[in-house]
Amino acid sequence: MADTIQKVCVIGAGTMGAGIAAQVANAGVPVLLLDIVPKDGGDRDAVAKGAVAKMLGTDPAPFMSKAAAKLVETGNIEDHLDRVAECDWIVEAIVERLDIKQNLYARLEKLKKPGAAVSSNTSTIPLEKLVDGRGEEFRASFLITHFFNPPRYMRLIEIVRGPHTDAAVADRVVDFVDRRLGKRVVPTKDTPGFIANRIGTYWLAVAVNAAMDQGLTIEEADQIGGKPMGVPKTGIFGLIDLVGIDLMPLLTASLTANLPKGDLYFDTVRDQPLIERMIAEGRTGRKAGSGFYSFDKKTRTKRALDFATGEYRDPVKPQRLPPRAEGDLHALTNAPGKTGPYAWEILGKVLAYSASLVGEAADDITAIDDAMKLGYNWKYGPFELIDRLGPGRLAERLEKEGREVPAILKTAGERPFYRVEDGQRQYLGLDGTYHDVVRAEGVLMLEDIKRKSKPLIRNGSAALWDAGDGVAVLEFTAKMNALDGEVMKLIGKAVPLVAEKFKALVVYNEGSNFSAGANLGLAMFAVNIAAWSEIEKLIAGGQDAYKALKYAPFPVVSAPAGLALGGGCEILLHSDAVQAHAESYIGLVECGVGLVPGWGGCGEMLDRWRNMPKQPKGPMPPVTKVFEIVSTATVAKSAAEAKGYGFLRESDGVTMNRDRLLADAKAKALSLVDGYTPPEAPEFKLPGAGGKAALMLAVDGFRKRGMATPYDAVVADALAEVLTGGDADLTDTVTEKDMLALEREHFMKLVRDPRTQARVESMLETGKPLRN
């Protein structure tokens, strides 16, 4: 579909409206952000301007780059509302009051251009009420687009079409939010709370009530109702703190005001004096520094709320769950002590409630599962959880307890809600038959390829797949997609196989992270038994593997999403091109654990920076820039930002929608096939000892000001030695092989140092760098 949305207007510069505007700008699309004229002050655009300024200082950042912020124009609805005529889509995100919204729509109806879409971000007011009194053209152009907060990071958007909504208008918006804004569109019916908030707030209320009723501690509740059920690692109470405790009563009030009488949601509504007290005292969660947990940023300590006293206490680690309970929902819900009753109270009620909403809130189970996975970060959707528990077991237990069994559970009987037939995933419909799970047009997923085929080659850490059209896919498969000798061995086998039978290679996986870098645990094991030759073999093997990819007789395209750190970043640097998901976090972070990049990252970054447009000429500027980036373990917090650091080239592609990353990477790889020739090996003129002295002078200044630790200076010295060419001077030619030898030499020196070993151990144990 042709992209016909060239400019967007967002009305309402609150948290949601401003965040939506930022995400439009992140997509490279101009956006007009309007709000009311403030009562005081001379700047009539102050509200919208203030929202943009606040976002530029917010962490996590709503903008993917400072350049994106420049695409947001600000104004007010008194002086600039007529400018909506310039826009192809107008998003209303103002206060949740029907009369105020309707007044705004009456004005918009006179100003917007024909065919321009208008949508509301509401999750509480029915669509038909919103457009009451509007003309035929306005009704045809109107829909609900319910974003989730924060709009940059939450992938879910629930979209409601009205009976009069023009399909072409709605399809343009759907295509735009999918491809340009990177959202997974879940179609939902016009019911209160739609899907995610209706189930999500029900779930949280059930969990909170049960924890208090059954006498659990917060830690026990988060342990039982967290990881075993596929809930984010925050746990239930940690998630409420993240969302905001004060938001929960507002959502509940909205839902209870609009849900039909008899809805099971009403059973969860009760007075909670403790929570009311917490809100009154400003203890509303992470944004306030305290909620169910309190957070002290200075001391990095976390305390937990005692339900009985309402005061904070030191955390108490709960007893381990019974055997099998962590991986078996049936065992979890039948476990002795506190575990089983609490787990069943949550799962029994929430899964039954979810099942009752098929046909009412959504047409099928896939919409409900997608909404909960994308909107509340569940690992499994409600129906995937039912399959893990057993549909027949759930129905039998509900019936035994005298509770209503939802129609779709009766329809399922003992059958699963999902199955795979001939490599195709299918879901059970209300009609009692299975239907194919259909991807959006243009989406290609590795998980689908894997269902229908076998790997070309595989070992414990990587696999190679045939993605069709002459493109192979190299997948990392270890925990956190960490890189080890097995990955390097598979690359060694993959290169000749791809050269013989394929046109191109894509490096890609569908884990949460592309790769968190080298397997540090394995490295520490080798250190502890003094297996220095094995460590050096791993470094040399990684260098050989990455150069084999770089100089392969076919194009290599890497497609990262999530973390691409250390060795994960280095594989991007060795690729012919990168197609990165917008939310890629890329960096050479080895100095943070007391090491230097060992798989060719130093030479590749130098080559990037000496060829960077507008970079000052001479040997020292690129060395200084790379030293600054690598010595501080800088991580780009978006693909856009990664281009500024040289981790990505300006020519590298960025995909907004994670689901479309593989298809885009495959297309990029095929576009490079005709006339492809491998790159030539770079040669360097490096500044040598004089350049190193200049770099270390700056490091010494940082150390004296307390901005660098004594061991930071040691690590920086090793990095400076590599980047300036060791014993070379400006008359010498430093080859790529020379650079690799310098990396190996200084990596091995540092890995033998107990202070590096302490840093690595700290990272493995706490996930945080040690400042020694």
Side-chain angles (χ1 to χ4, degrees):
M1 178 183 293
D3 185 5
T4 55
I5 295 180
Q6 304 295 333
K7 186 171 184 178
V8 175
C9 175
V10 178
I11 303 175
T15 300
M16 283 301 299
I20 293 167
Q23 185 65 1
V24 173
N26 289 334
V29 176
V31 55
L32 176 65
L33 179 62
L34 305 179
D35 208 301
I36 61 171
V37 176
K39 294 179 181 178
D40 303 313
D43 189 347
R44 293 171 63 82
D45 302 337
V47 175
K49 286 180 179 176
V52 174
K54 182 179 179 181
M55 288 193 293
L56 285 168
T58 298
D59 187 23
F63 289 112
M64 292 179 181
S65 67
K66 290 183 179 178
K70 296 177 182 177
L71 288 170
V72 182
E73 302 173 75
T74 55
N76 68 78
I77 57 175
E78 299 305 322
D79 302 329
H80 306 115
L81 194 63
D82 60 334
R83 292 190 59 195
V84 300
E86 305 167 9
C87 302
D88 306 298
W89 178 25
I90 303 159
V91 183
E92 171 270 301
I94 64 174
V95 64
E96 287 289 270
R97 271 184 52 184
L98 180 60
D99 58 334
I100 297 177
K101 291 180 187 288
Q102 287 182 333
N103 287 338
L104 174 64
Y105 299 158
R107 297 174 66 188
L108 290 176
E109 187 170 22
K110 300 173 184 176
L111 298 170
K112 82 177 195 73
K113 63 183 178 183
V118 181
S119 71
S120 175
N121 189 58
T122 187
S123 64
T124 63
I125 304 174
L127 186 148
E128 279 304 296
K129 288 185 178 180
L130 292 171
V131 296
D132 186 34
R134 302 277 62 80
E136 184 177 333
E137 196 279 335
F138 190 92
R139 286 170 171 265
S141 63
F142 191 86
L143 61 161
I144 290 174
T145 51
H146 182 224
F147 288 83
F148 278 68
N149 191 38
R152 170 181 167 182
Y153 299 97
M154 298 302 291
R155 292 185 59 209
L156 174 63
I157 183 168
E158 295 173 317
I159 291 187
V160 181
R161 307 183 189 212
H164 306 290
T165 304
D166 185 291
V169 172
D171 288 347
R172 282 199 299 272
V173 172
V174 166
D175 189 70
F176 183 82
V177 298
D178 173 345
R179 297 175 188 272
R180 301 299 299 274
L181 301 190
K183 305 304 171 191
R184 174 90 64 84
V185 176
V186 172
T188 180
K189 293 177 178 290
D190 193 13
T191 55
F194 307 135
I195 301 170
N197 279 343
R198 185 166 175 185
I199 296 173
T201 54
Y202 178 84
W203 160 61
L204 293 173
V206 166
V208 170
N209 293 343
M212 294 182 176
D213 293 345
Q214 297 179 16
L216 275 73
T217 65
I218 282 178
E219 295 94 333
E220 288 170 335
D222 280 350
Q223 180 198 47
I224 299 165
K227 185 178 177 182
M229 298 182 191
V231 171
K233 63 181 180 181
T234 55
I236 290 164
F237 287 94
L239 180 62
I240 297 173
D241 274 350
L242 192 62
V243 171
I245 295 170
D246 53 335
L247 181 62
M248 306 312 294
L250 297 176
L251 288 169
T252 298
S254 167
L255 283 164
T256 53
N258 290 285
L259 286 170
K261 290 182 179 180
D263 192 276
L264 291 174
Y265 195 96
F266 290 99
D267 295 342
T268 70
V269 180
R270 63 167 76 169
D271 291 333
Q272 292 281 14
L274 175 57
I275 294 176
E276 291 169 7
R277 171 185 154 193
M278 290 169 67
I279 294 172
E281 294 172 353
R283 294 189 284 166
T284 54
R286 286 199 183 185
K287 61 187 176 184
S290 62
F292 288 111
Y293 293 96
S294 69
F295 311 89
D296 189 319
K297 291 183 179 179
K298 290 184 179 179
T299 61
R300 293 188 175 184
T301 56
K302 180 178 176 181
R303 306 187 77 210
L305 187 75
D306 187 298
F307 287 139
T309 66
E311 303 301 326
Y312 294 103
R313 53 164 174 75
D314 291 336
V316 178
K317 190 173 182 178
Q319 293 182 351
R320 290 192 64 177
L321 294 177
R324 293 181 57 228
E326 289 194 16
D328 184 331
L329 292 186
H330 180 64
L332 182 72
T333 53
N334 286 280
K338 297 179 179 180
T339 301
Y342 186 63
W344 170 247
E345 182 72 4
I346 294 173
L347 289 173
K349 286 186 174 179
V350 175
L351 298 183
Y353 189 60
S354 301
S356 73
L357 297 181
V358 182
E360 178 187 341
D363 285 327
D364 58 62
I365 67 171
T366 64
I368 290 176
D369 278 352
D370 284 347
M372 294 311 298
K373 288 189 288 187
L374 296 167
Y376 279 80
N377 285 329
W378 286 15
K379 184 176 181 180
Y380 310 102
F383 292 91
E384 291 170 330
L385 286 171
I386 293 173
D387 277 352
R388 290 168 64 83
L389 182 62
R393 284 174 175 168
L394 175 60
E396 182 182 1
R397 191 161 176 179
L398 291 173
E399 191 170 20
K400 188 175 180 181
E401 294 178 1
R403 293 156 63 182
E404 185 176 349
V405 178
I408 197 163
L409 265 180
K410 294 178 181 177
T411 299
E414 296 292 335
R415 293 181 296 167
F417 281 102
Y418 291 98
R419 72 177 188 183
V420 175
E421 284 287 308
D422 298 323
Q424 173 65 52
R425 194 176 191 223
Q426 297 180 328
Y427 69 91
L428 186 67
L430 275 170
D431 59 1
T433 63
Y434 285 96
H435 307 265
D436 289 348
V437 175
V438 179
R439 302 289 187 191
E441 183 184 355
V443 170
L444 175 65
M445 302 295 287
L446 184 58
E447 65 176 271
D448 295 339
I449 293 170
K450 290 162 70 172
R451 282 195 200 99
K452 297 177 180 179
S453 61
K454 294 181 178 180
L456 301 166
I457 47 176
R458 162 184 269 166
N459 61 26
S461 299
L464 189 71
W465 301 89
D466 183 347
D469 302 313
V471 177
V473 173
L474 172 63
E475 176 195 28
F476 307 140
T477 60
K479 185 177 181 181
M480 291 288 285
N481 290 320
L483 304 168
D484 56 23
E486 290 298 293
V487 172
M488 305 312 162
K489 288 178 185 176
L490 193 127
I491 290 173
K493 294 179 180 178
V495 169
L497 178 59
V498 175
E500 180 185 353
K501 297 184 176 181
F502 293 86
K503 300 176 183 177
L505 176 69
V506 170
V507 185
Y508 167 88
N509 63 74
E510 284 166 5
S512 300
N513 299 297
F514 178 74
S515 175
N519 187 330
L520 292 178
L522 192 62
M524 277 309 299
F525 175 77
V527 166
N528 289 334
I529 61 172
W532 307 115
S533 63
E534 291 302 311
I535 296 176
E536 189 158 14
K537 190 186 297 183
L538 175 62
I539 299 306
Q543 291 180 346
D544 291 344
Y546 282 18
K547 295 307 175 186
L549 288 175
K550 179 178 179 179
Y551 298 115
F554 49 80
V556 175
V557 174
S558 286
L563 300 179
L565 304 179
C569 174
E570 285 174 298
I571 204 165
L572 307 185
L573 295 173
H574 285 82
S575 300
D576 293 294
V578 174
Q579 184 71 34
H581 182 229
E583 297 296 349
S584 294
Y585 307 93
I586 304 171
L588 294 172
V589 296
E590 289 87 348
C591 287
V593 290
L595 296 166
V596 295
W599 286 334
C602 294
E604 294 301 324
M605 284 291 283
L606 280 178
D607 194 36
R608 292 269 176 107
W609 275 95
R610 69 177 180 173
N611 294 308
M612 196 76 76
K614 300 181 182 179
Q615 177 71 10
K617 300 302 178 185
M620 200 60 193
V623 169
T624 302
K625 194 66 184 178
V626 175
F627 180 78
E628 173 190 319
I629 293 168
V630 178
S631 66
T632 55
T634 299
V635 175
K637 294 182 179 178
S638 68
E641 202 173 273
K643 292 187 176 185
Y645 291 121
F647 298 133
L648 299 180
R649 307 173 184 87
E650 279 303 317
S651 59
D652 287 331
V654 177
T655 296
M656 293 293 283
N657 192 325
R658 178 71 173 81
D659 293 344
R660 297 185 177 277
L661 183 57
L662 179 55
D664 289 350
K666 181 180 172 182
K668 180 175 280 290
L670 288 170
S671 74
L672 299 175
V673 169
D674 288 345
Y676 177 78
T677 55
E680 294 184 4
E683 294 182 339
F684 303 92
K685 296 290 185 181
L686 297 174
K692 178 184 173 183
L695 295 176
M696 293 312 296
L697 188 64
V699 172
D700 191 53
F702 284 123
R703 185 184 59 78
K704 287 177 179 177
R705 295 199 299 274
M707 299 169 68
T709 69
Y711 196 56
D712 285 338
V714 173
V715 178
D717 184 89
L719 178 65
E721 182 87 2
V722 175
L723 293 176
T724 56
D727 295 331
D729 61 36
L730 288 173
T731 63
D732 296 323
T733 296
V734 180
T735 67
E736 186 175 67
K737 288 184 177 179
D738 294 332
M739 291 295 298
L740 293 174
L742 283 167
E743 282 191 351
R744 286 197 308 273
E745 175 190 347
H746 289 282
F747 186 100
M748 292 307 300
K749 282 182 180 178
L750 290 170
V751 80
R752 289 174 180 265
D753 194 304
R755 293 167 292 183
T756 285
Q757 294 164 21
R759 286 191 175 192
V760 174
E761 286 175 353
S762 173
M763 184 60 70
L764 288 170
E765 290 172 6
T766 69
K768 297 174 183 177
L770 176 68
R771 304 289 294 153
N772 60 351

